[in-house]
Amino acid sequence: AKKKAPCPGLGLFYTLLSAFLFSVASLFVKKVQDIHAVEISAFRCVFQMLVIIPCLIYRKTGFLGPKGQRVFLILRGVFGSTAMILIYYAYQMMPLADATVIAFSCPVFTSIFAWIFLKEKYSLWDAFFTLFAITGVILIVKPPFLFGSGTSGMNEGYSVHLKGTFAAIGHAMLAAMTLVILRKMGKSVDYFLSIWYYVILGLPESIIILFIIGEWSLPYCGLDRLFLILIGLFGLGGQILITKALQVEKAGPVALMKTMDIVFAFIFQIAFFNRVPTWWTVGGALCVVASSTGATIRKWVQSSK
């Protein structure tokens, strides 16, 4: 007899909880405004390293990985840690919902990079979804040459908003490259080992950048220090839960449930920063979500044939 799943919908619950933990971590990043995004990334790497080392020892996976996969692990670590720095910078430079929506365009870039590097099929539908995502980003950015001086609703200067936008787009692209590399490696590499490269390369990268820009400083109050610890723990918890979700549920439903990241970002922005997103942001979010959802469903249907 066919073995029945112990708990239907468990993977979707893991995904929902993962989205919540990632969103809370991004909220704490936004709250810690006196510490540079690169320094926050460094602290997160330290806290995650303290958790990952015992896990690797317990699972007896080693710290280097299979010889044939080490180059991919290094690339995954560099791209992943740089993506983390960029999204933290975006959270500090622009509204939480705007940065989250732009970062959610990652699936569109994943389709493009998978077509280039993995020779996966890229159809006219994929191109349409890409254009739809670009439209959503434009609605959020509101470039003056299209919208005139309609940027008065921003509390920060438009140049700061633009910096955050480029950082969020950079995060989406590097996160997409990370997903392509993970897809290339498949199940031959333990996920904890993948996270290990993520933190062991992210820490020196963050330290080097901090020395170059001269932004290293210890947090002034105990609350900021608590936020830094929670950012590391919640970020790691979100990574583990989304991995467990993909182990017990198909990638399509998991990707669709991931849209809750945007819902939580909107809720947190209103509740904790008393800042209601503009209709342009809402419209842009709908475009990006529709684009990413369409791309995900199409890949899901193709893989199930």
Side-chain angles (χ1 to χ4, degrees):
K2 188 177 180 179
K3 188 176 180 180
K4 189 177 179 180
C7 183
L10 182 62
L12 297 181
F13 174 74
Y14 283 152
T15 307
L16 179 63
L17 188 56
S18 170
F20 177 75
L21 292 181
F22 278 133
S23 298
V24 174
S26 65
L27 171 64
F28 290 148
V29 173
K30 187 71 175 176
K31 283 286 189 181
V32 184
Q33 285 287 350
D34 294 331
I35 303 177
H36 197 278
V38 182
E39 187 173 351
I40 297 176
S41 303
F43 276 107
R44 173 176 169 173
C45 289
V46 171
F47 294 129
Q48 289 193 346
M49 190 183 301
L50 296 177
V51 177
I52 290 297
I53 290 177
C55 292
L56 289 176
I57 295 174
Y58 174 78
R59 296 167 72 90
K60 299 179 181 179
T61 59
F63 291 90
L64 296 179
K67 287 185 178 181
Q69 303 289 359
R70 289 173 188 174
V71 173
F72 295 117
L73 283 168
I74 292 173
L75 290 175
R76 182 266 184 271
V78 173
F79 289 155
S81 57
T82 306
M84 173 180 61
I85 293 173
L86 288 174
I87 194 58
Y88 285 178
Y89 183 77
Y91 288 147
Q92 292 186 337
M93 293 293 106
M94 63 194 306
L96 186 62
D98 290 13
T100 303
V101 169
I102 295 174
F104 201 75
S105 62
C106 174
V108 176
F109 290 111
T110 303
S111 298
I112 296 175
F113 293 146
W115 168 56
I116 296 173
F117 297 106
L118 301 182
K119 308 304 179 183
E120 294 185 3
K121 187 177 179 181
Y122 188 82
S123 65
L124 289 176
W125 276 108
D126 295 310
F128 172 76
F129 294 140
T130 301
L131 291 176
F132 213 55
I134 293 174
T135 302
V137 173
I138 290 175
L139 290 177
I140 294 173
V141 178
K142 298 191 290 290
F145 67 89
L146 291 178
F147 293 83
S149 57
T151 59
S152 57
M154 300 180 187
N155 293 333
E156 64 279 315
Y158 183 73
S159 61
V160 175
H161 186 84
L162 201 58
K163 291 178 182 177
T165 298
F166 283 125
I169 294 174
H171 161 83
M173 296 178 68
L174 289 176
M177 282 298 301
T178 300
L179 290 174
V180 170
I181 291 172
L182 290 174
R183 190 181 301 176
K184 176 70 174 178
M185 290 190 298
K187 297 181 180 180
S188 62
V189 176
D190 188 277
Y191 187 74
F192 280 101
L193 186 63
S194 176
I195 301 178
W196 166 250
Y197 272 84
Y198 172 84
V199 298
I200 199 64
L201 294 175
L203 181 58
E205 178 186 359
S206 299
I207 293 175
I208 291 172
I209 295 175
L210 284 171
F211 274 110
I212 293 174
I213 64 179
E215 289 286 348
W216 178 266
S217 63
L218 291 176
Y220 294 106
C221 66
L223 191 60
D224 283 346
R225 297 172 187 177
L226 175 63
F227 285 161
L228 290 173
I229 295 174
L230 293 177
I231 288 169
L233 294 179
F234 283 10
L236 179 61
Q239 286 179 315
I240 293 174
L241 283 169
I242 195 64
T243 304
K244 290 181 68 67
L246 290 169
Q247 290 175 345
V248 299
E249 185 62 80
K250 293 182 179 179
V254 169
L256 295 180
M257 182 61 76
K258 276 284 290 176
T259 56
M260 289 302 297
D261 284 15
I262 295 178
V263 176
F264 287 131
F266 274 76
I267 294 173
F268 290 164
Q269 180 171 307
I270 296 172
F272 293 97
F273 301 101
N274 195 27
R275 186 167 184 175
V276 179
T278 65
W279 285 111
W280 293 114
T281 298
V282 174
L286 291 176
C287 287
V288 173
V289 170
S291 171
S292 300
T293 302
T296 299
I297 292 177
R298 180 168 175 78
K299 291 294 183 184
W300 182 19
V301 171
Q302 287 179 340
S303 62
S304 62
K305 288 183 180 179

